[in-house]
Amino acid sequence: PAAEHPSVLDQFRTGVTYRARRQTAAIGTVPRRVGAMVRNPLGVAQEAVQSAVSAARMLRPVSEPMGPVMAARSLSVRFDALGLPASDEGGIQAGRRPPQ
């Protein structure tokens, strides 16, 4: 069976509906957040500072990995594409190595 591809209008409609649901959910949390700020302003401020510090840690540039798993990795290594002639009499297609 052929795959069905939604039209551009359907994709737009789905995106708008999704955004509307997200915004409605976000607006629904406002009274709870305001209540938390009134009941415990110091705790809310501490959480905001912790969130900001965490975001700064995640977004800062790093020159070396923090964990041992990525210690052997390097930004100085790169991979290049190899250029092979397209007409090698079927060598590549037939699974033979190209001449050195």
Side-chain angles (χ1 to χ4, degrees), residues 88-97:
D88 66 345
E89 293 133 15
I92 294 174
Q93 290 83 5
R96 295 190 308 261
R97 291 181 180 251

Side-chain angles (χ1 to χ4, degrees), residues 17-35:
T17 304
Y18 171 77
R19 288 298 222 176
R21 279 196 317 262
R22 293 284 308 229
Q23 295 300 324
T24 302
I27 290 171
T29 65
V30 169
R32 183 172 45 92
R33 292 179 187 266
V34 169

Side-chain angles (χ1 to χ4, degrees), residues 62-86:
V62 290
S63 59
E64 60 186 42
M66 294 176 67
V69 173
M70 299 297 285
R73 305 289 176 135
S74 173
L75 293 175
S76 64
V77 175
R78 68 176 194 179
F79 296 96
D80 285 333
L82 296 176
L84 296 176

Side-chain angles (χ1 to χ4, degrees), residues 43-76:
V44 171
Q46 287 174 337
E47 287 178 14
V49 168
Q50 288 172 351
S51 294
V53 168
S54 175
R57 255 194 335 261
M58 184 175 66
L59 297 174
R60 75 173 181 222
V62 290
S63 59
E64 60 186 42
M66 294 176 67
V69 173
M70 299 297 285
R73 305 289 176 135
S74 173
L75 293 175
S76 64

